[in-house]
Amino acid sequence: MDLLQSYSPTSNSDSDSDSETQIIKLPTKSAAPKVDDTALSLISSDPTSSSGSLTKPLDPTQHVVTYNPTYDQLWAPIYGPAHPFAKDGLAQGLRNHKLGSVEDASIASFHFDEQYNTFQSLGYAADPSATHFVGDLNSLETNRGVTVFNIPQSEHKRRRVLNKREIDEDDAIENDDDKDNPATDTWLSRNRKSPWAGKKGNVGQEELTEEQKKYAEEHAKKKAEERGEKVEKGEIFEEKSMFHGKEERDYQGRSWITPPKDKKADVEHCYIPKRLEHTWSGHTKGVSAIRFFPKFGHLILSAGMDTKVKIWDVYNSRKCMRTYMGHSKAVRDICFTNDGSKFLSAGYDKNIKYWDTETGKVISSFSTGKIPYVVKLNPDDDKQNVLLAGMSDKKIVQWDMNSGEITQEYDQHLGAVNTITFVDDNRRFVTSSDDKSLRVWEFGIPVVIKYISEPHMHSMPSIAVHPNSNWLAAQSLDNQILIYSTRERFQLNKKKRFAGHIAAGYACQVNFSPDGRFVMSGDGEGKMWYWNWKTCKVFRSMKCHEGVCIGCEWHPLETSKVATCGWDGLIKFWD
């Protein structure tokens, strides 16, 4: 519309009193951008908006705005998940799921249980990311959208009658033994209390009750006694194994663990790996230790915090070949025999299990009622039946695995034992402990022949032997790797000290390259560190894992290949 403005010039004292008022017509201008009907409707429909400001957020894909948005609207966060491959420098296009990139989301446990049980019972549920329902829409209309937590009282009574009829029918066809078995579905359905539970009840979705745990332990104990195994003080858990490969034997009758014949060792000169070659993901929790198959490295064994031990193919299919399930808690340490046909596993369930690598059967179990932190076999070929275990009660226990009897106890440490390392042609072994000391033992004699403890020393949760057998590398928790000689005096080599990584608080494993030129270790930030043995300088550090990089192993035959494991549940193979 046209704007009219009245203009009166300033009158002087000499001017006439009857001067005329001048009317000036200004050019036409638009008072504000045109507002579309949607914006007007939003303004008028918002009863709380006294000033007429819009509360609707801006559409990020909109190129032209037809109204004047407020500051809050312009800078409101974009709704919805972030694009995983956006080029804004914030989102990293990394796949964290087999179908792409998945963001973390949270929902209150009460609302999740409400919608989950509603879907299980009534067939529909509210979509938390939208305002609509999913599932059986006919049932939604019939029940008028109610959830299981607000079902009318009359509906509760009707459901109780139906459930009672189902229970009576189940009891009529089930055996009497199943009625008294708290681990069966019949027992669960008979004893459920939730009105929205299905035929098998909702109790099975939760942890086992004390009565069910007791029954399961008794059942596993009975099975172990039937197999002729000696049941010790550790927690009872039924052992089983699952083979994942195509066939356990090939057309020539060779086992799947048979090493390839065309691989030969070449340790003249090792190189630092530069790129990621393969990633194994199968553990649902962190991986605590990895071990290559002795001498050949065509298989790699991993101990998981998900209670499982897995073995993976390195050269061919690169898939999980077998899963060993026998522990009820996280697995702490693993150890192969010299020929790789068997291995030991130590778990936080206080059990040590001796497995057959090929068949997955448990040959024997050992326990003292304490947690084993480290297990080690005597490296001599004629003493492969001798097991040493460092326990949480400060002892190193020695078993004869043929008889199952404890033949020796080494009890001098003042804290939990972390490592056992054989030196001096396997006649002696060195142990480290939480008491911040090193002790040297004569094998078979429970007397300390060398005790190393200094005020500056920290706990050493990992020790490795140099390939020339003259030195020990100890991961110290003050963020450095210390070197001790393995000769008579076991002295600290003050000239060799490897630092730069951050390992305080973590039992990151230390290791050597097969030619002895490099020292390597993971750290608490997921990095892998390589040092030159002669100069003690950092040769290379690279990001390997999200979280702690806890374990590292150099391939026994390939001169430039390294495997690492971390608390992100991944095992990575570097070349």
Side-chain angles (χ1 to χ4, degrees):
M1 66 179 183
D2 295 340
L3 297 178
L4 297 179
Q5 184 174 357
S6 176
Y7 174 74
S8 297
T10 306
S11 58
N12 297 327
S13 58
D14 298 335
S15 62
D16 297 333
S17 60
D18 58 347
S19 61
E20 296 180 358
T21 302
Q22 297 181 1
I23 305 299
I24 299 174
K25 185 176 181 181
L26 298 178
T28 303
K29 288 187 178 179
S30 178
K34 184 179 178 182
V35 181
D36 61 355
D37 297 337
T38 307
L40 287 172
S41 63
L42 282 170
I43 296 173
S44 59
S45 63
D46 186 3
T48 63
S49 177
S50 59
S51 61
S53 62
L54 298 179
T55 58
K56 182 180 179 182
L58 287 178
D59 183 1
T61 62
Q62 190 174 358
H63 297 288
V64 180
V65 182
T66 57
Y67 59 94
N68 291 331
T70 63
Y71 176 86
D72 294 334
Q73 288 174 304
L74 283 174
W75 296 100
I78 297 176
Y79 281 76
H83 196 287
F85 305 109
K87 297 180 180 179
D88 55 0
L90 298 177
Q92 298 180 359
L94 298 176
R95 294 169 66 94
N96 58 6
H97 189 267
K98 60 183 179 181
L99 299 180
S101 180
V102 180
E103 283 192 340
D104 291 335
S106 74
I107 183 172
S109 60
F110 172 80
H111 297 297
F112 177 84
D113 291 341
E114 181 182 31
Q115 299 302 328
Y116 176 82
N117 291 315
T118 301
F119 189 84
Q120 295 295 324
S121 180
L122 303 179
Y124 60 86
D127 189 345
S129 62
T131 58
H132 62 273
F133 285 80
V134 295
D136 188 356
L137 300 181
N138 294 328
S139 176
L140 175 68
E141 294 180 0
T142 304
N143 294 283
R144 298 181 181 180
V146 298
T147 65
V148 292
F149 289 167
N150 54 22
I151 294 177
Q153 191 69 24
S154 58
E155 185 68 13
H156 274 293
K157 293 180 180 178
R158 187 179 70 84
R159 288 178 180 276
R160 288 196 194 100
V161 174
L162 292 177
N163 286 342
K164 189 174 184 304
R165 291 176 183 173
E166 291 179 1
I167 293 170
D168 293 340
E169 292 175 1
D170 291 341
D171 289 346
I173 60 175
E174 294 290 340
N175 296 326
D176 294 337
D177 295 340
D178 290 339
K179 294 178 184 178
D180 299 329
N181 183 354
T184 59
D185 295 333
T186 306
W187 188 90
L188 293 175
S189 60
R190 286 171 58 236
N191 291 276
R192 65 179 181 267
K193 298 180 181 179
S194 303
W196 54 83
K199 186 174 182 179
K200 293 186 178 181
N202 197 38
V203 185
Q205 304 291 339
E206 303 170 1
E207 294 185 358
L208 296 177
T209 62
E210 292 299 326
E211 187 177 355
Q212 290 171 298
K213 288 180 180 178
K214 184 178 179 181
Y215 178 85
E217 289 180 3
E218 291 176 354
H219 179 70
K221 186 175 180 180
K222 189 183 297 183
K223 289 288 186 182
E225 290 175 349
E226 290 175 359
R227 293 194 298 267
E229 296 180 4
K230 185 177 180 180
V231 180
E232 296 283 353
K233 302 175 185 177
E235 297 181 20
I236 303 299
F237 193 77
E238 189 172 1
E239 302 107 352
K240 57 183 178 179
S241 178
M242 186 180 299
F243 183 71
H244 306 290
K246 290 184 178 179
E247 51 189 3
E248 296 193 33
R249 296 191 176 274
D250 62 5
Y251 67 98
Q252 291 184 333
R254 293 175 298 191
S255 170
W256 61 274
I257 69 166
T258 303
K261 296 182 179 180
D262 56 343
K263 294 292 181 182
K264 295 182 180 180
D266 181 15
V267 295
E268 292 180 359
H269 198 80
C270 292
Y271 301 92
I272 301 295
K274 296 181 179 179
R275 63 182 180 88
L276 177 64
E277 184 175 330
H278 188 72
T279 301
W280 290 288
S281 60
H283 287 285
T284 57
K285 294 183 180 179
V287 180
S288 55
I290 51 174
R291 300 285 184 267
F292 274 113
F293 194 91
K295 300 178 183 178
F296 297 96
H298 65 293
L299 299 170
I300 187 169
L301 191 70
S302 63
M305 298 178 187
D306 56 357
T307 74
K308 296 179 178 63
V309 179
K310 292 177 179 284
I311 193 165
W312 314 80
D313 184 67
V314 176
Y315 288 130
N316 300 317
S317 65
R318 291 192 167 176
K319 294 182 179 179
C320 179
M321 299 301 293
R322 187 177 281 279
T323 301
Y324 308 88
M325 295 166 283
H327 291 280
S328 60
K329 292 183 180 179
V331 184
R332 163 83 183 199
D333 192 27
I334 46 179
C335 178
F336 267 118
T337 58
N338 286 352
D339 59 358
S341 62
K342 301 174 183 64
F343 69 90
L344 290 163
S345 65
Y348 283 98
D349 59 356
K350 305 173 185 176
N351 282 323
I352 302 169
K353 294 186 182 290
Y354 190 45
W355 300 83
D356 186 295
T357 309
E358 181 182 356
T359 63
K361 293 182 179 179
V362 175
I363 301 172
S364 54
S365 297
F366 309 94
S367 178
T368 63
K370 303 297 180 181
I371 300 174
Y373 281 171
V374 56
V375 286
K376 188 76 70 173
L377 287 171
N378 190 306
D380 288 338
D381 290 332
D382 58 344
K383 296 178 182 175
Q384 288 288 283
N385 63 317
V386 178
L387 160 65
L388 289 175
M391 313 301 289
S392 60
D393 63 347
K394 315 168 190 176
K395 295 180 182 178
I396 300 108
V397 183
Q398 179 177 318
W399 275 277
D400 181 354
M401 291 194 293
N402 292 338
S403 63
E405 299 293 331
I406 295 177
T407 57
Q408 194 63 266
E409 282 190 356
Y410 307 84
D411 188 7
Q412 290 285 323
H413 275 293
L414 304 176
V417 181
N418 292 323
T419 65
I420 299 173
T421 310
F422 280 88
V423 295
D424 194 14
D425 294 330
N426 306 327
R427 292 192 296 267
R428 298 170 180 169
F429 62 91
V430 182
T431 59
S432 66
S433 167
D434 287 345
D435 60 7
K436 304 178 182 179
S437 71
L438 294 177
R439 295 172 198 254
V440 185
W441 312 77
E442 198 83 31
F443 178 72
I445 302 174
V447 179
V448 174
I449 62 174
K450 183 71 177 181
Y451 170 59
I452 306 170
S453 180
E454 300 290 343
H456 61 80
M457 287 177 60
H458 287 70
S459 180
M460 299 177 184
S462 175
I463 292 180
V465 184
H466 193 276
N468 65 12
S469 303
N470 293 332
W471 305 99
L472 290 175
Q475 179 81 263
S476 180
L477 287 189
D478 57 349
N479 296 329
Q480 60 180 342
I481 297 173
L482 304 178
I483 305 299
Y484 291 87
S485 68
T486 60
R487 297 305 176 189
E488 293 298 326
R489 303 186 68 179
F490 290 91
Q491 283 185 326
L492 173 67
N493 188 337
K494 297 180 180 179
K495 294 182 180 180
K496 287 192 179 296
R497 173 182 169 273
F498 303 92
H501 61 316
I502 300 175
Y506 304 104
C508 297
Q509 297 159 24
V510 62
N511 221 319
F512 286 97
S513 61
D515 62 355
R517 292 175 58 242
F518 299 105
V519 181
M520 66 174 178
S521 168
D523 74 352
E525 297 179 343
K527 289 183 180 179
M528 193 70 201
W529 293 76
Y530 299 91
W531 293 270
N532 188 299
W533 168 253
K534 289 186 177 180
T535 64
C536 298
K537 293 182 179 180
V538 176
F539 193 89
R540 180 176 297 152
S541 67
M542 54 200 301
K543 179 77 171 178
C544 291
H545 292 273
E546 295 295 330
V548 182
C549 178
I550 198 73
C552 57
E553 283 271 320
W554 208 291
H555 197 281
L557 298 183
E558 304 282 351
T559 58
S560 63
K561 293 189 176 181
V562 169
T564 63
C565 65
W567 286 3
D568 54 1
L570 301 178
I571 304 160
K572 296 188 177 183
F573 197 41
W574 304 85
D575 186 6

